[in-house]
């Protein structure tokens, strides 16, 4: 099959509004959690989230076009523009019939739906809905808008698999290049659901942290006193290319996509398999797809959401798959800094992995205070501070409600 390389990245995150700023946030162990500014949280159990700061769509997008987009699509367009520029992709010199888009979002334009339903419910009862409500709401619209903006006419669709959405998008985009269907793929994901609906819904599930007195330390993956995840928002974009195509146009190659896996827990609507069965299987599948041994992996960027059940199950799964080599790995959860971006998590975490390869460091798992006796203390979970290390290969995990599991492996290009 064709080799697939990464030639451009773009990021819009709670700890940095560009890829460069995101890298700096990861290196410093910065927390993106703070009191919510996007709506009134007076009556909510959780009053904080990891919002994108200072985002003004009219400063970054055409004003008229931005009005027709939900916030999650605005995020997508901004991150993709950065990635295309970073890749030095000249649209006049590539075959647009062989350039495609696969974009992930777990929820899509929930704000657009929430706004119109609220207006209808509190209004006269006469149905006066925004004519753009439906296209702003649907999860596939970001992929469509990216395609329209740049004229990419090959494969175009969205992946929706909860928190695994953008990892599945990256895997599918990779396969389209591997199989010779495309030369260039734009992929990644975006999410923008710091809203009353989602905070209320996740609170009802008891999934969110309620550490309102100190939100910047609320996301505590692997800590004994973790009490749920911190909701985040943002986007991550990657430009993938067929290796020969990238070389021919003189692109700078950042990393290679080595392989991926996708499995199901087939266990529970929201809880992970207690023994991490799906997680074990997906990591094994990714390693087999990449034709790599466990010893080839230096760093695992874990799903690590800061939930009581999920963190333990994932740690056990890593030990099962990697055996003794698990103690040689660096493991970290960048959600401790960014919060949980749901469908966009896999994209920004893939970028964190690529940064670790390019800059030879491991982003930390911040906010660790107390060891959890259920998690092996000999595992290097990269607590609190970034660590220097040569990184040749990274495995990135994302797992979603419904039992959806995805693992993607990136390796140093050579």
């Amino acid at each position: 099959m064709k080799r697939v390389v990464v030639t451009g990245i773009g990021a819009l995150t709670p700890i940095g509004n560009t890829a460069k700023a995101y890298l700096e946030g990861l290196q410093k162990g910065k927390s993106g959690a703070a009191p919510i500014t996007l709506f009134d949280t007076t009556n909510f159990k959780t009053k904080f989230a990891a919002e994108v700061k200072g985002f003004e769509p009219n400063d970054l997008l055409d004003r008229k076009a931005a009005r027709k987009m939900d916030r999650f699509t605005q995020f997508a367009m901004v991150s993709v523009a950065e990635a295309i520029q970073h890749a030095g992709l000249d649209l006049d010199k590539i075959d647009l019939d062989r350039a495609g888009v696969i974009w992930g979002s777990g929820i899509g334009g929930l704000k657009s739906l929430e706004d119109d339903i609220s207006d209808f419910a509190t209004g006269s009862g006469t149905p006066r809905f925004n004519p753009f409500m439906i296209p702003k709401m649907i999860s596939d619209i970001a992929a469509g808008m990216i395609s329209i903006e740049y004229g990419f006419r090959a494969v175009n669709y969205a992946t929706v698999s909860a928190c695994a959405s953008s990892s599945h998008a990256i895997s599918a985009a990779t396969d389209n290049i591997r199989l010779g269907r495309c030369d260039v793929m734009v992929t990644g994901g975006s999410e923008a659901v710091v809203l009353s609906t989602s905070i209320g819904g996740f609170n009802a599930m008891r999934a969110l942290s309620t550490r309102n007195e100190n939100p910047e330390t609320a996301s505590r993956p692997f800590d004994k006193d973790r009490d749920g995840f911190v909701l985040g928002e943002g986007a991550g974009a990657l430009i993938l290319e067929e290796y020969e195509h990238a070389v021919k146009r003189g692109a700078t190659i950042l990393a290679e996509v080595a392989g991926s896996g996708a499995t199901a827990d087939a266990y529970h609507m929201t809880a992970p398999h207690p023994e991490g069965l799906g997680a074990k299987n997906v990591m094994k599948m990714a390693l087999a797809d990449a034709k790599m041994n466990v010893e080839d992996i230096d760093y695992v960027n874990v799903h690590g959401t800061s939930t009581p059940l999920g963190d333990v199950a994932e740690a056990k799964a890593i030990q099962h798959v990697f055996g003794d080599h698990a103690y040689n790995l660096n493991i970290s959860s960048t959600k401790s800094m960014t919060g949980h971006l749901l469908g966009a998590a896999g994209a920004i975490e893939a970028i964190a992995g690529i940064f670790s390869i390019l800059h030879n460091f491991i982003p930390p798992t911040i906010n660790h205070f107390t060891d959890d006796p259920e998690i092996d203390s000999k595992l290097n979970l990269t607590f609190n501070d970034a660590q220097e290390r040569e990184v040749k290969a990274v495995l990135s995990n994302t797992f979603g409600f419904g039992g959806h599991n995805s693992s993607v492996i990136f390796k140093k290009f050579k």
Side-chain angles (χ1 to χ4, degrees), residues 291-308:
K291 297 180 173 59
M292 297 173 75
N293 299 314
V294 293
E295 293 80 11
D296 297 323
I297 302 297
D298 301 301
Y299 168 40
V300 177
N301 185 299
V302 292
H303 186 55
T305 58
S306 186
T307 54

Side-chain angles (χ1 to χ4, degrees), residues 352-368:
I354 293 166
F355 281 149
S356 75
I357 292 170
L358 292 172
H359 300 283
N360 291 313
F361 85 106
I362 308 296
T365 305
I366 66 169
N367 301 328
H368 182 72

